[in-house]
Amino acid sequence: TNMGLHTLDDSRIQLNFNITMMDLPCEYSTVDVFSSIGFQKNVTRNIRKFPVSDDGVLQRYEQRNWHQDDVELWDPAVFETIDDLHQDGEDAISLNEETFEYALREFPFLFVKFYTSDCSNCDDFAPTWEALGEIVTDASMSIVDAFMKEKGIGDNQYSDEEYEQAVNFMAPVLVTKVNCNKHPKICLDQKIRLYPTMRIFVNGNAKGDYDGHRTVMELVHWVSHIEAENREPGQLRMHLVERFANERTVRNEVEQEWNDALTEHRAPRTWNITRHPG
């Protein structure tokens, strides 16, 4: 397409466009811009891409470019340190050889961060991962509290340990971590080669490694996509996590408005010819 500008005070300009290519994977599509005097620049790294299903429905997680090296390594919306987040306990559960096998057997959706204690990228990402664990815990507590209210179960009818077990059991996904320095056999068996590696397991089987932006919302959207592929529509629960993630990471009304619009745009319920005119 062509466009012209009369005057421009800013050094950068944002262009919004929507192109759907059904048969081209996101990582292989590139975008170049040309000036009127013939100057060419590749701007692929600045383009946001989202995959579509075989039916043309926009997916909720962001795709990467081929050999992309500009992925956000942590979520700037999570301003707390890991020590701050651990003051009320760890919500991203640490696993060892025994508990890892137990979690694979007992939890249908298991999200594991494999890391080492001498990895700087792991240290930077740690608050984001713990914040994700807290958000999932908050969502799970809301599910448990609603269930107990519906059944008329009072606070004096269960122990703190039983409540914690119920929260973990009802979690849409169990967020965990494995220190490969302390438990090398797990990481060797799982063929972990990069740190951190975020891998999701469904019914005990590895379903994929996350390689997008390491922000809470992108992680949540990706897990929501995995859930939609592996749970019946009436059993979906990640939308509750999305609500809590919005409240945690969106800081003001403008950001909330943009996030709501983006969430709606990413997940149209049916084919929309105005969004996919091609």
PDB file of all heavy atoms in Angstrom, residues 20-47:
ATOM      1  N   THR A  20      -4.712 -11.173   6.730  1.00  0.00           N
ATOM      2  CA  THR A  20      -4.819 -12.590   7.060  1.00  0.00           C
ATOM      3  C   THR A  20      -4.337 -13.429   5.883  1.00  0.00           C
ATOM      4  O   THR A  20      -4.818 -13.264   4.765  1.00  0.00           O
ATOM      5  CB  THR A  20      -6.277 -12.969   7.395  1.00  0.00           C
ATOM      6  OG1 THR A  20      -6.724 -12.180   8.495  1.00  0.00           O
ATOM      7  CG2 THR A  20      -6.385 -14.447   7.753  1.00  0.00           C
ATOM      8  N   MET A  21      -3.359 -14.316   6.155  1.00  0.00           N
ATOM      9  CA  MET A  21      -2.837 -15.222   5.131  1.00  0.00           C
ATOM     10  C   MET A  21      -3.015 -16.640   5.657  1.00  0.00           C
ATOM     11  O   MET A  21      -2.299 -17.070   6.564  1.00  0.00           O
ATOM     12  CB  MET A  21      -1.365 -14.909   4.847  1.00  0.00           C
ATOM     13  CG  MET A  21      -1.160 -13.532   4.217  1.00  0.00           C
ATOM     14  SD  MET A  21       0.569 -13.064   4.011  1.00  0.00           S
ATOM     15  CE  MET A  21       0.971 -12.624   5.713  1.00  0.00           C
ATOM     16  N   MET A  22      -3.961 -17.358   5.096  1.00  0.00           N
ATOM     17  CA  MET A  22      -4.375 -18.641   5.647  1.00  0.00           C
ATOM     18  C   MET A  22      -3.308 -19.720   5.502  1.00  0.00           C
ATOM     19  O   MET A  22      -3.248 -20.646   6.298  1.00  0.00           O
ATOM     20  CB  MET A  22      -5.663 -19.108   4.973  1.00  0.00           C
ATOM     21  CG  MET A  22      -6.869 -18.236   5.283  1.00  0.00           C
ATOM     22  SD  MET A  22      -7.322 -18.284   7.046  1.00  0.00           S
ATOM     23  CE  MET A  22      -7.799 -20.003   7.235  1.00  0.00           C
ATOM     24  N   ASP A  23      -2.454 -19.643   4.493  1.00  0.00           N
ATOM     25  CA  ASP A  23      -1.539 -20.749   4.202  1.00  0.00           C
ATOM     26  C   ASP A  23      -0.081 -20.419   4.491  1.00  0.00           C
ATOM     27  O   ASP A  23       0.809 -21.168   4.089  1.00  0.00           O
ATOM     28  CB  ASP A  23      -1.670 -21.158   2.726  1.00  0.00           C
ATOM     29  CG  ASP A  23      -3.069 -21.639   2.392  1.00  0.00           C
ATOM     30  OD1 ASP A  23      -3.628 -22.387   3.209  1.00  0.00           O
ATOM     31  OD2 ASP A  23      -3.602 -21.267   1.337  1.00  0.00           O
ATOM     32  N   LEU A  24       0.183 -19.311   5.194  1.00  0.00           N
ATOM     33  CA  LEU A  24       1.562 -18.926   5.482  1.00  0.00           C
ATOM     34  C   LEU A  24       1.771 -18.861   6.988  1.00  0.00           C
ATOM     35  O   LEU A  24       1.130 -18.061   7.672  1.00  0.00           O
ATOM     36  CB  LEU A  24       1.885 -17.560   4.858  1.00  0.00           C
ATOM     37  CG  LEU A  24       3.317 -17.054   5.059  1.00  0.00           C
ATOM     38  CD1 LEU A  24       4.293 -17.960   4.320  1.00  0.00           C
ATOM     39  CD2 LEU A  24       3.454 -15.612   4.571  1.00  0.00           C
ATOM     40  N   PRO A  25       2.656 -19.692   7.556  1.00  0.00           N
ATOM     41  CA  PRO A  25       2.924 -19.622   8.996  1.00  0.00           C
ATOM     42  C   PRO A  25       3.458 -18.247   9.393  1.00  0.00           C
ATOM     43  O   PRO A  25       4.184 -17.602   8.626  1.00  0.00           O
ATOM     44  CB  PRO A  25       3.983 -20.712   9.214  1.00  0.00           C
ATOM     45  CG  PRO A  25       3.820 -21.648   8.059  1.00  0.00           C
ATOM     46  CD  PRO A  25       3.402 -20.783   6.906  1.00  0.00           C
ATOM     47  N   CYS A  26       3.097 -17.813  10.589  1.00  0.00           N
ATOM     48  CA  CYS A  26       3.491 -16.480  11.056  1.00  0.00           C
ATOM     49  C   CYS A  26       4.997 -16.248  10.980  1.00  0.00           C
ATOM     50  O   CYS A  26       5.460 -15.174  10.610  1.00  0.00           O
ATOM     51  CB  CYS A  26       3.025 -16.261  12.500  1.00  0.00           C
ATOM     52  SG  CYS A  26       1.252 -16.056  12.695  1.00  0.00           S
ATOM     53  N   GLU A  27       5.774 -17.280  11.360  1.00  0.00           N
ATOM     54  CA  GLU A  27       7.208 -17.056  11.477  1.00  0.00           C
ATOM     55  C   GLU A  27       7.892 -16.802  10.140  1.00  0.00           C
ATOM     56  O   GLU A  27       9.024 -16.315  10.092  1.00  0.00           O
ATOM     57  CB  GLU A  27       7.880 -18.241  12.188  1.00  0.00           C
ATOM     58  CG  GLU A  27       7.732 -19.570  11.483  1.00  0.00           C
ATOM     59  CD  GLU A  27       6.592 -20.381  12.068  1.00  0.00           C
ATOM     60  OE1 GLU A  27       5.600 -19.764  12.491  1.00  0.00           O
ATOM     61  OE2 GLU A  27       6.698 -21.621  12.099  1.00  0.00           O
ATOM     62  N   TYR A  28       7.204 -17.122   9.025  1.00  0.00           N
ATOM     63  CA  TYR A  28       7.826 -16.945   7.721  1.00  0.00           C
ATOM     64  C   TYR A  28       7.359 -15.689   6.992  1.00  0.00           C
ATOM     65  O   TYR A  28       7.863 -15.376   5.916  1.00  0.00           O
ATOM     66  CB  TYR A  28       7.565 -18.166   6.837  1.00  0.00           C
ATOM     67  CG  TYR A  28       8.193 -19.430   7.365  1.00  0.00           C
ATOM     68  CD1 TYR A  28       7.417 -20.492   7.791  1.00  0.00           C
ATOM     69  CD2 TYR A  28       9.582 -19.550   7.464  1.00  0.00           C
ATOM     70  CE1 TYR A  28       7.992 -21.645   8.297  1.00  0.00           C
ATOM     71  CE2 TYR A  28      10.166 -20.703   7.968  1.00  0.00           C
ATOM     72  CZ  TYR A  28       9.375 -21.743   8.375  1.00  0.00           C
ATOM     73  OH  TYR A  28       9.939 -22.887   8.885  1.00  0.00           O
ATOM     74  N   SER A  29       6.407 -14.969   7.527  1.00  0.00           N
ATOM     75  CA  SER A  29       5.937 -13.745   6.872  1.00  0.00           C
ATOM     76  C   SER A  29       6.807 -12.565   7.292  1.00  0.00           C
ATOM     77  O   SER A  29       7.131 -12.405   8.468  1.00  0.00           O
ATOM     78  CB  SER A  29       4.473 -13.471   7.225  1.00  0.00           C
ATOM     79  OG  SER A  29       4.306 -13.331   8.617  1.00  0.00           O
ATOM     80  N   THR A  30       7.217 -11.756   6.339  1.00  0.00           N
ATOM     81  CA  THR A  30       8.078 -10.605   6.603  1.00  0.00           C
ATOM     82  C   THR A  30       7.439  -9.343   6.037  1.00  0.00           C
ATOM     83  O   THR A  30       6.624  -9.400   5.117  1.00  0.00           O
ATOM     84  CB  THR A  30       9.475 -10.791   5.988  1.00  0.00           C
ATOM     85  OG1 THR A  30       9.352 -10.902   4.562  1.00  0.00           O
ATOM     86  CG2 THR A  30      10.150 -12.041   6.526  1.00  0.00           C
ATOM     87  N   VAL A  31       7.830  -8.202   6.555  1.00  0.00           N
ATOM     88  CA  VAL A  31       7.278  -6.914   6.128  1.00  0.00           C
ATOM     89  C   VAL A  31       8.427  -5.944   5.868  1.00  0.00           C
ATOM     90  O   VAL A  31       9.285  -5.734   6.735  1.00  0.00           O
ATOM     91  CB  VAL A  31       6.324  -6.328   7.192  1.00  0.00           C
ATOM     92  CG1 VAL A  31       5.794  -4.969   6.731  1.00  0.00           C
ATOM     93  CG2 VAL A  31       5.177  -7.288   7.473  1.00  0.00           C
ATOM     94  N   ASP A  32       8.458  -5.366   4.680  1.00  0.00           N
ATOM     95  CA  ASP A  32       9.431  -4.332   4.316  1.00  0.00           C
ATOM     96  C   ASP A  32       8.700  -3.026   4.035  1.00  0.00           C
ATOM     97  O   ASP A  32       7.541  -3.035   3.587  1.00  0.00           O
ATOM     98  CB  ASP A  32      10.220  -4.714   3.066  1.00  0.00           C
ATOM     99  CG  ASP A  32      11.217  -5.841   3.316  1.00  0.00           C
ATOM    100  OD1 ASP A  32      11.334  -6.289   4.471  1.00  0.00           O
ATOM    101  OD2 ASP A  32      11.873  -6.255   2.352  1.00  0.00           O
ATOM    102  N   VAL A  33       9.333  -1.901   4.319  1.00  0.00           N
ATOM    103  CA  VAL A  33       8.795  -0.598   3.955  1.00  0.00           C
ATOM    104  C   VAL A  33       9.773   0.079   3.006  1.00  0.00           C
ATOM    105  O   VAL A  33      10.991  -0.115   3.097  1.00  0.00           O
ATOM    106  CB  VAL A  33       8.544   0.285   5.202  1.00  0.00           C
ATOM    107  CG1 VAL A  33       7.448  -0.307   6.065  1.00  0.00           C
ATOM    108  CG2 VAL A  33       9.814   0.476   6.011  1.00  0.00           C
ATOM    109  N   PHE A  34       9.219   0.868   2.071  1.00  0.00           N
ATOM    110  CA  PHE A  34      10.019   1.564   1.075  1.00  0.00           C
ATOM    111  C   PHE A  34       9.660   3.047   1.116  1.00  0.00           C
ATOM    112  O   PHE A  34       8.488   3.413   1.194  1.00  0.00           O
ATOM    113  CB  PHE A  34       9.733   1.025  -0.339  1.00  0.00           C
ATOM    114  CG  PHE A  34      10.070  -0.430  -0.522  1.00  0.00           C
ATOM    115  CD1 PHE A  34       9.178  -1.419  -0.139  1.00  0.00           C
ATOM    116  CD2 PHE A  34      11.281  -0.806  -1.082  1.00  0.00           C
ATOM    117  CE1 PHE A  34       9.471  -2.754  -0.304  1.00  0.00           C
ATOM    118  CE2 PHE A  34      11.584  -2.149  -1.255  1.00  0.00           C
ATOM    119  CZ  PHE A  34      10.685  -3.130  -0.869  1.00  0.00           C
ATOM    120  N   SER A  35      10.657   3.889   1.085  1.00  0.00           N
ATOM    121  CA  SER A  35      10.415   5.328   1.031  1.00  0.00           C
ATOM    122  C   SER A  35      10.259   5.764  -0.421  1.00  0.00           C
ATOM    123  O   SER A  35      10.533   5.005  -1.353  1.00  0.00           O
ATOM    124  CB  SER A  35      11.562   6.089   1.684  1.00  0.00           C
ATOM    125  OG  SER A  35      12.717   6.022   0.874  1.00  0.00           O
ATOM    126  N   SER A  36       9.818   7.008  -0.602  1.00  0.00           N
ATOM    127  CA  SER A  36       9.611   7.532  -1.962  1.00  0.00           C
ATOM    128  C   SER A  36      10.921   7.650  -2.738  1.00  0.00           C
ATOM    129  O   SER A  36      10.913   7.724  -3.971  1.00  0.00           O
ATOM    130  CB  SER A  36       8.926   8.900  -1.889  1.00  0.00           C
ATOM    131  OG  SER A  36       9.715   9.805  -1.144  1.00  0.00           O
ATOM    132  N   ILE A  37      12.047   7.663  -2.045  1.00  0.00           N
ATOM    133  CA  ILE A  37      13.345   7.763  -2.741  1.00  0.00           C
ATOM    134  C   ILE A  37      14.016   6.395  -2.860  1.00  0.00           C
ATOM    135  O   ILE A  37      15.194   6.296  -3.214  1.00  0.00           O
ATOM    136  CB  ILE A  37      14.291   8.742  -2.012  1.00  0.00           C
ATOM    137  CG1 ILE A  37      14.521   8.284  -0.558  1.00  0.00           C
ATOM    138  CG2 ILE A  37      13.723  10.142  -2.041  1.00  0.00           C
ATOM    139  CD1 ILE A  37      15.547   9.148   0.174  1.00  0.00           C
ATOM    140  N   GLY A  38      13.258   5.332  -2.538  1.00  0.00           N
ATOM    141  CA  GLY A  38      13.766   3.994  -2.756  1.00  0.00           C
ATOM    142  C   GLY A  38      14.441   3.338  -1.565  1.00  0.00           C
ATOM    143  O   GLY A  38      14.973   2.235  -1.686  1.00  0.00           O
ATOM    144  N   PHE A  39      14.431   4.002  -0.407  1.00  0.00           N
ATOM    145  CA  PHE A  39      15.048   3.409   0.773  1.00  0.00           C
ATOM    146  C   PHE A  39      14.181   2.257   1.274  1.00  0.00           C
ATOM    147  O   PHE A  39      12.972   2.388   1.421  1.00  0.00           O
ATOM    148  CB  PHE A  39      15.203   4.460   1.876  1.00  0.00           C
ATOM    149  CG  PHE A  39      15.752   3.915   3.158  1.00  0.00           C
ATOM    150  CD1 PHE A  39      17.102   3.619   3.274  1.00  0.00           C
ATOM    151  CD2 PHE A  39      14.919   3.679   4.245  1.00  0.00           C
ATOM    152  CE1 PHE A  39      17.606   3.100   4.456  1.00  0.00           C
ATOM    153  CE2 PHE A  39      15.418   3.170   5.425  1.00  0.00           C
ATOM    154  CZ  PHE A  39      16.769   2.877   5.532  1.00  0.00           C
ATOM    155  N   GLN A  40      14.803   1.105   1.510  1.00  0.00           N
ATOM    156  CA  GLN A  40      14.083  -0.087   1.954  1.00  0.00           C
ATOM    157  C   GLN A  40      14.529  -0.455   3.355  1.00  0.00           C
ATOM    158  O   GLN A  40      15.709  -0.423   3.683  1.00  0.00           O
ATOM    159  CB  GLN A  40      14.350  -1.268   1.015  1.00  0.00           C
ATOM    160  CG  GLN A  40      13.682  -2.571   1.461  1.00  0.00           C
ATOM    161  CD  GLN A  40      14.025  -3.742   0.554  1.00  0.00           C
ATOM    162  OE1 GLN A  40      14.701  -3.579  -0.457  1.00  0.00           O
ATOM    163  NE2 GLN A  40      13.548  -4.927   0.916  1.00  0.00           N
ATOM    164  N   LYS A  41      13.563  -0.842   4.218  1.00  0.00           N
ATOM    165  CA  LYS A  41      13.881  -1.275   5.577  1.00  0.00           C
ATOM    166  C   LYS A  41      12.961  -2.419   5.966  1.00  0.00           C
ATOM    167  O   LYS A  41      11.751  -2.344   5.758  1.00  0.00           O
ATOM    168  CB  LYS A  41      13.727  -0.124   6.576  1.00  0.00           C
ATOM    169  CG  LYS A  41      14.073  -0.494   8.030  1.00  0.00           C
ATOM    170  CD  LYS A  41      13.962   0.707   8.922  1.00  0.00           C
ATOM    171  CE  LYS A  41      14.250   0.344  10.382  1.00  0.00           C
ATOM    172  NZ  LYS A  41      15.603  -0.172  10.576  1.00  0.00           N
ATOM    173  N   ASN A  42      13.540  -3.473   6.519  1.00  0.00           N
ATOM    174  CA  ASN A  42      12.749  -4.589   7.018  1.00  0.00           C
ATOM    175  C   ASN A  42      12.284  -4.283   8.438  1.00  0.00           C
ATOM    176  O   ASN A  42      13.087  -3.988   9.314  1.00  0.00           O
ATOM    177  CB  ASN A  42      13.574  -5.886   7.007  1.00  0.00           C
ATOM    178  CG  ASN A  42      12.738  -7.087   7.432  1.00  0.00           C
ATOM    179  OD1 ASN A  42      12.524  -7.296   8.604  1.00  0.00           O
ATOM    180  ND2 ASN A  42      12.290  -7.861   6.454  1.00  0.00           N
ATOM    181  N   VAL A  43      10.971  -4.336   8.663  1.00  0.00           N
ATOM    182  CA  VAL A  43      10.402  -3.977   9.969  1.00  0.00           C
ATOM    183  C   VAL A  43       9.670  -5.166  10.599  1.00  0.00           C
ATOM    184  O   VAL A  43       8.817  -4.985  11.460  1.00  0.00           O
ATOM    185  CB  VAL A  43       9.438  -2.776   9.838  1.00  0.00           C
ATOM    186  CG1 VAL A  43      10.194  -1.521   9.415  1.00  0.00           C
ATOM    187  CG2 VAL A  43       8.298  -3.083   8.869  1.00  0.00           C
ATOM    188  N   THR A  44      10.020  -6.377  10.190  1.00  0.00           N
ATOM    189  CA  THR A  44       9.314  -7.558  10.673  1.00  0.00           C
ATOM    190  C   THR A  44       9.328  -7.663  12.190  1.00  0.00           C
ATOM    191  O   THR A  44       8.337  -8.058  12.811  1.00  0.00           O
ATOM    192  CB  THR A  44       9.927  -8.823  10.057  1.00  0.00           C
ATOM    193  OG1 THR A  44       9.926  -8.704   8.622  1.00  0.00           O
ATOM    194  CG2 THR A  44       9.129 -10.067  10.442  1.00  0.00           C
ATOM    195  N   ARG A  45      10.448  -7.298  12.816  1.00  0.00           N
ATOM    196  CA  ARG A  45      10.549  -7.440  14.268  1.00  0.00           C
ATOM    197  C   ARG A  45       9.581  -6.532  15.010  1.00  0.00           C
ATOM    198  O   ARG A  45       9.283  -6.747  16.181  1.00  0.00           O
ATOM    199  CB  ARG A  45      11.981  -7.151  14.736  1.00  0.00           C
ATOM    200  CG  ARG A  45      12.452  -5.737  14.496  1.00  0.00           C
ATOM    201  CD  ARG A  45      13.819  -5.526  15.113  1.00  0.00           C
ATOM    202  NE  ARG A  45      13.756  -5.612  16.567  1.00  0.00           N
ATOM    203  CZ  ARG A  45      14.814  -5.599  17.358  1.00  0.00           C
ATOM    204  NH1 ARG A  45      16.017  -5.540  16.845  1.00  0.00           N
ATOM    205  NH2 ARG A  45      14.675  -5.657  18.668  1.00  0.00           N
ATOM    206  N   ASN A  46       9.052  -5.505  14.341  1.00  0.00           N
ATOM    207  CA  ASN A  46       8.111  -4.587  14.975  1.00  0.00           C
ATOM    208  C   ASN A  46       6.656  -4.948  14.696  1.00  0.00           C
ATOM    209  O   ASN A  46       5.755  -4.248  15.158  1.00  0.00           O
ATOM    210  CB  ASN A  46       8.382  -3.153  14.488  1.00  0.00           C
ATOM    211  CG  ASN A  46       9.805  -2.711  14.764  1.00  0.00           C
ATOM    212  OD1 ASN A  46      10.577  -2.476  13.842  1.00  0.00           O
ATOM    213  ND2 ASN A  46      10.169  -2.614  16.029  1.00  0.00           N
ATOM    214  N   ILE A  47       6.420  -6.018  13.948  1.00  0.00           N
ATOM    215  CA  ILE A  47       5.065  -6.412  13.583  1.00  0.00           C
ATOM    216  C   ILE A  47       4.556  -7.467  14.564  1.00  0.00           C
ATOM    217  O   ILE A  47       5.263  -8.422  14.896  1.00  0.00           O
ATOM    218  CB  ILE A  47       5.019  -6.980  12.150  1.00  0.00           C
ATOM    219  CG1 ILE A  47       5.597  -5.964  11.163  1.00  0.00           C
ATOM    220  CG2 ILE A  47       3.593  -7.347  11.771  1.00  0.00           C
ATOM    221  CD1 ILE A  47       4.871  -4.646  11.130  1.00  0.00           C
TER     222      ILE A  47
END
